Amino acid sequence: MQVSNGQNKYYAESEEVKPLRIKDAERSFLISVEGKKYIDFGSGWCVGNLGWKNPELEKAIKNFNGPTYISPNLEYEPWIELAGLLSKIVPGKLTKCFRATGGTEAVEIALQAAKSYTGREEFIALDGAFHGNSIAAEGLVSDSPYFNWKKLKPPLNEEKLNELEKMLKTKKVAALIMEPISMNLGVMVPEFSFMQGMQDLCRKYGTLIIMDEVATGFGRTGKLFATEYFDIDPDIMCIAKALSGGAAPIGATIMKEEVGESLKKDNYPYSTYGWHPLSVAASIANVRFFQKHWGELQENIQFMNEYFRQRLSQMEFKKPVKMSIVGMAMNLDFGKSDYGEKVTKRALKNGLIVFEGITMFPALDIDFETAKAGLDILEKSL
């Protein structure tokens, strides 16, 4: 295994990297520079929902014959086509679609829109969640000196509604932002009663609801969008990651018409590379793939969900574990123990890629043979 020596003179690593250099990827496998295949149960943290190098997405990119670039102040027909496709598949009454380069920018646009529409400055986010790596997005969940954010601590149950109402009744909160099922909080599922009560309170006090579906969107949790589990009518939704299946960088912020109109009048967001023509071609192919094959994908998700749940429940972990499994999003929580991190490292040496914790996001269309082989490696690594 070729490893990074951590002393690269020019390349600045954004986080601690795994000791593995990748040269290629295909379906549910990553291939190292030495040619060794690793089973990928991470999917780039909910990016490669259709596996890597999906044939229909690859075909769209290969056959792309459009412009190199389009200036944001011009019109481009595929922008209109993609916006129309997205407005038809997202839940609620979201019709105004703004271009973004990825999840962080999509969240930034959502925050701008909420401030513009409500005239308020405060936001509520879940304590410990993640919505991007800009100063504003990080400020949502950290003790930032730059912004006045409020943090709601999980668990999200009916008892938590009293605390939420105290925050909202000041009528200073522009929006509450959350993942409908929080990937970064261990695939945490809120109680249905909380979500319904949250929606009622936000409507009562004029606070917008932002559903961050950057990681949960496009089938990850078994619904096309996780918001559908809770019958929520969001004012704004952020999507990215699996929007293009990892084939090209892209994000989008979709909002109700009246919210979008207020943003257009106040401070229209400008994105130099938002919806690059090649990214749009890949995303249109990806959305159409989901429309065409969603029934088949749902069947595989349901089958694999039950298979992973069964196999994981039978494994003999060396520490007490709390499991949370929704669709193809899975987290094994070992509390304060570092056991999960040790298993993750052993699994990597044995040919399986999972996230620390242990957190797993296998491809939605993963086949049984690959899933079994990966779980066998995980069990071997315990």
Side-chain angles (χ1 to χ4, degrees):
M1 180 186 297
Q2 184 172 338
V3 299
S4 169
N5 59 18
Q7 296 178 345
N8 191 304
K9 184 177 179 180
Y10 305 105
Y11 172 63
E13 296 166 344
S14 58
E15 57 184 288
E16 184 178 354
V17 299
K18 298 182 183 295
L20 173 62
R21 287 185 178 175
I22 299 299
K23 71 171 182 179
D24 205 353
E26 186 173 1
R27 307 309 292 167
S28 290
F29 294 91
L30 299 183
I31 304 168
S32 73
V33 293
E34 298 87 0
K36 180 178 177 179
K37 278 190 172 183
Y38 291 78
I39 297 175
D40 181 17
F41 276 4
S43 299
W45 197 275
C46 308
V47 174
N49 283 8
L50 299 178
W52 307 117
K53 291 190 175 179
N54 175 278
E56 294 192 30
L57 272 62
E58 289 288 297
K59 181 179 179 181
I61 293 174
K62 183 179 180 180
N63 294 340
F64 176 71
N65 192 29
T68 301
Y69 176 78
I70 296 291
S71 175
N73 63 348
L74 301 176
E75 291 187 353
Y76 183 51
E77 191 67 30
W79 286 348
I80 300 171
E81 180 182 359
L82 179 57
L85 285 171
L86 293 176
S87 68
K88 291 176 182 177
I89 65 172
V90 296
K93 306 178 185 66
L94 307 175
T95 57
K96 290 295 181 181
C97 196
F98 290 82
R99 301 175 300 106
T101 55
T104 296
E105 191 174 25
V107 169
E108 291 279 338
I109 293 170
L111 301 180
Q112 291 178 39
K115 289 179 63 176
S116 175
Y117 182 75
T118 64
R120 302 174 181 180
E121 298 290 328
E122 295 181 359
F123 290 86
I124 297 174
L126 302 187
D127 191 22
F130 180 81
H131 296 286
N133 53 20
S134 65
I135 291 178
E138 286 189 344
L140 284 168
V141 295
S142 64
D143 295 322
S144 170
Y146 302 105
F147 303 98
N148 186 12
W149 310 127
K150 297 180 181 295
K151 291 181 284 188
L152 188 66
K153 290 183 179 292
L156 302 182
N157 49 34
E158 197 165 354
E159 289 73 27
K160 196 68 64 172
L161 293 173
N162 290 331
E163 181 181 341
L164 176 61
E165 184 164 20
K166 290 179 182 178
M167 296 179 181
L168 294 175
K169 68 193 311 180
T170 63
K171 295 188 177 182
K172 294 180 179 180
V173 179
L176 180 150
I177 181 170
M178 64 178 292
E179 291 180 292
I181 296 176
S182 182
M183 301 292 100
N184 285 88
L185 291 174
V187 191
M188 184 192 70
V189 183
E191 289 185 5
F192 186 85
S193 58
F194 169 83
M195 295 295 279
Q196 288 294 296
M198 174 274 292
Q199 179 167 245
D200 292 342
L201 289 173
C202 285
R203 298 291 178 243
K204 178 179 179 180
Y205 294 108
T207 296
L208 300 188
I209 299 171
I210 302 174
M211 288 286 105
D212 181 352
E213 293 259 15
V214 169
T216 54
F218 292 94
R220 175 51 56 190
T221 65
K223 300 283 189 181
L224 196 56
F225 295 95
T227 301
E228 298 171 37
Y229 278 107
F230 306 103
D231 194 25
I232 295 295
D233 178 26
D235 299 292
I236 305 173
M237 180 177 287
C238 306
I239 57 176
K241 288 186 180 288
L243 171 54
S244 72
I250 193 168
T253 311
I254 314 172
M255 55 194 77
K256 290 181 176 178
E257 183 173 3
E258 59 270 24
V259 181
E261 288 299 321
S262 74
L263 183 57
K264 287 170 63 177
K265 294 176 183 178
D266 186 25
N267 185 26
Y268 196 88
Y270 183 94
S271 179
T272 299
Y273 276 100
W275 289 23
H276 185 277
L278 185 59
S279 298
V280 172
S283 298
I284 289 174
N286 182 63
V287 174
R288 293 200 181 281
F289 184 94
F290 271 91
Q291 289 178 319
K292 182 180 179 182
H293 300 286
W294 180 229
E296 304 162 41
L297 287 171
Q298 277 185 304
E299 289 180 6
N300 197 61
I301 293 169
Q302 182 177 355
F303 175 81
M304 285 298 170
N305 174 278
E306 294 172 357
Y307 177 62
F308 271 81
R309 191 184 299 273
Q310 178 187 23
R311 283 290 307 272
L312 291 169
S313 65
Q314 294 173 348
M315 291 185 186
E316 296 182 1
F317 297 100
K318 305 304 180 184
K319 297 288 183 179
V321 61
K322 179 182 178 182
M323 297 186 189
S324 181
I325 304 174
V326 184
M328 293 297 278
M330 308 162 198
N331 184 73
L332 310 180
D333 182 5
F334 299 96
K336 296 181 179 180
S337 170
D338 62 353
Y339 175 66
E341 283 68 29
K342 291 179 179 179
V343 173
T344 298
K345 292 177 181 178
R346 286 196 291 267
L348 180 62
K349 290 181 180 179
N350 293 329
L352 173 69
I353 296 174
V354 297
F355 290 106
E356 286 75 7
I358 301 165
T359 305
M360 298 180 287
F361 303 117
L364 308 184
D365 57 354
I366 191 171
D367 61 85
F368 178 78
E369 182 182 359
T370 305
K372 181 181 184 303
L375 287 169
D376 287 346
I377 292 175
L378 180 62
E379 192 164 21
K380 175 184 175 182
S381 305
L382 299 185

